[in-house]
Amino acid sequence: MVQIGQQALLHIIVHLIFLVIVWWAMQAFNFDAWIRKGKVVQARVLYILFVISIASLVSDFFLKYLQFSTNLSQLFG
C-alpha cells in the first residue's frame, strides 16, 4: 500500500512540475493577435486548456518512460 501511495505522490508532483513548465513556456507566444475583441474570457479558458493538455501529454510520456526504464531490470534479472 505504501508503494501505491508513493506512486500517486510521484504522479501528482510530476504533473504539477510539467504544468508549471508548460505554462512558463507558453508565455513565449503572443496570443493577443489571435484574440477577437470582447472574447478575452474565452481566450483565457482556451489558453488554460492548451496548457493542461500539453502538460498532460508531456508528463504522461515522462511517467511511461520512467516506468518502462525501471521495468527493463526484469528483462535481465
Side-chain angles (χ1 to χ4, degrees), residues 7-27:
Q7 244 182 354
L9 182 63
L10 175 69
H11 280 77
I12 290 170
I13 291 172
V14 167
H15 282 296
L16 288 175
I17 288 171
F18 280 109
L19 189 68
V20 169
I21 291 172
V22 171
W23 183 274
W24 172 76
M26 289 287 286
Q27 295 199 5

Side-chain angles (χ1 to χ4, degrees), residues 39-73:
K39 302 291 184 179
V40 176
V41 175
Q42 289 95 337
R44 287 182 184 166
V45 170
L46 184 62
Y47 184 81
I48 291 170
L49 291 175
F50 275 145
V51 168
I52 291 171
S53 61
I54 293 171
S56 177
L57 288 171
V58 174
S59 61
D60 283 342
F61 170 79
F62 177 79
L63 289 169
K64 284 182 183 179
Y65 187 83
L66 181 66
Q67 178 188 6
F68 293 154
S69 63
T70 55
N71 288 343
L72 278 177
S73 64

